[in-house]
Amino acid sequence: MTEEPTAGDRIPCEPGPTDGPTGQPSGGPTDGGVFRRALGADFDRLHPQLQRRFGVSVAAGYGCVGTGVMAELRRGPWWTVPFLSIGTLRNILFPERGRIVAFRIDNFPYIDGYGRETVSFVRTMEVRPGRRRRFDATMIYSAKRGGVVDYLGTHQHLAVDLELAVTDAGGLSLTSGEQRFYEGPVGFRFPMLASGFARLREHFDDERQVFAIDLEVRNRVFGFLFGYRGEFTCEYPAITTAPAPVKPYREERCE
């Protein structure tokens, strides 16, 4: 078992490795993109439809827009509502529950202000007529962290290490790990007592020709916090730049 980071552990904010005289951090555009770099040879074990979906990259020149329905949108007991409501301020989680909820996910690749290839993960849920909630994230490949770093929310204050794996059936398994809070030069390991660990499973259903997804966020002490499960189909628009609405308001250089 790894040692649980404690609240208040300070992390110096140091730029990552640089490429050439510009001093820009490494991790710029590659033929493989963020997920191929993270999975290596295992990327080719993904179902072909998942390879296409997670193969979005600047070099590939396309994005992925998924639309569908979440059969179930869940949250924990009543006392989780204040915690989840705080997340709405930065488009990180939300307190609503529902069934048959319209869903959209926007995955667009771009180069961020620090020269890193980035993929947006903007999930939009129509939790009730006229009320939409967003769950925003942007992902990079970090050589320093040895995998994908997921920046949560509109301002990238929270950086989360992700562990990716390919299932025997060619699906994608994602588990979150250490979380770090950054604000400019200030950084610390985020206390997990105040946060949650995410576990996501995604696969392609050949019979129904849909992507199926199942996400759960749990706290090690308090249990289930948030989750959804459902299905969607994808389109792959050609792009030269990501749409502005899917990009964060603020970018964080620390990984």
Side-chain angles (χ1 to χ4, degrees):
M1 293 181 62
T2 58
E3 184 177 352
E4 179 75 10
T6 58
D9 285 351
R10 298 298 294 272
I11 303 175
C13 183
E14 299 175 353
T18 58
D19 287 329
T22 63
Q24 291 283 25
S26 63
T30 67
D31 290 340
V34 169
F35 296 96
R36 182 176 284 278
R37 293 180 71 185
L39 287 168
D42 277 350
F43 187 87
D44 295 323
R45 295 179 49 233
L46 287 171
H47 187 286
Q49 290 292 341
L50 266 74
Q51 289 186 39
R52 186 182 186 192
R53 170 160 153 65
F54 290 100
V56 296
S57 69
V58 173
Y62 70 87
C64 176
V65 178
T67 54
V69 171
M70 292 298 105
E72 186 178 25
L73 178 60
R74 300 187 293 151
R75 65 161 169 79
W78 63 268
W79 46 262
T80 64
V81 173
F83 169 81
L84 297 173
S85 296
I86 291 172
T88 64
L89 301 176
R90 289 290 187 267
N91 286 358
I92 308 174
L93 306 183
F94 43 85
E96 283 84 1
R97 293 185 291 190
R99 294 182 180 275
I100 317 302
V101 176
F103 169 83
R104 173 180 171 126
I105 183 166
D106 288 271
N107 302 122
F108 285 97
Y110 63 96
I111 303 301
D112 74 2
Y114 297 106
R116 303 171 300 191
E117 182 160 24
T118 305
V119 178
S120 71
F121 273 74
V122 174
R123 288 141 286 196
T124 305
M125 310 265 191
E126 189 170 356
V127 294
R128 62 175 183 267
R131 163 66 81 174
R132 293 180 178 178
R133 292 291 196 190
R134 278 179 47 155
F135 181 7
D136 291 12
T138 43
M139 300 188 187
I140 66 166
Y141 175 80
S142 170
K144 180 171 68 174
R145 305 297 303 183
V148 172
V149 172
D150 185 9
Y151 289 110
L152 299 183
T154 56
H155 290 67
Q156 293 194 343
H157 286 305
L158 198 61
V160 181
D161 293 340
L162 298 183
E163 179 180 340
L164 306 181
V166 180
T167 69
D168 292 341
L172 182 68
S173 168
L174 179 156
T175 305
S176 66
E178 181 181 289
Q179 302 181 15
R180 299 168 298 283
F181 182 90
Y182 289 117
E183 175 58 61
V186 177
F188 59 87
R189 290 182 177 86
F190 198 79
M192 296 311 300
L193 184 63
S195 188
F197 291 94
R199 289 183 173 84
L200 179 144
R201 304 292 183 268
E202 185 172 327
H203 70 275
F204 189 78
D205 186 320
D206 283 300
E207 182 177 347
R208 304 187 62 243
Q209 291 292 294
V210 296
F211 293 88
I213 191 169
D214 190 338
L215 170 75
E216 283 195 354
V217 180
R218 291 182 174 272
N219 181 279
R220 284 180 175 170
V221 176
F222 301 109
F224 178 76
L225 299 177
F226 177 85
Y228 55 78
R229 62 179 181 86
E231 59 188 39
F232 57 95
T233 59
C234 289
E235 297 180 347
Y236 300 92
I239 62 164
T240 56
T241 185
V246 305
K247 295 182 178 181
Y249 298 150
R250 167 190 178 276
E251 292 178 344
E252 174 55 59
R253 73 187 181 107
C254 290
E255 300 169 10

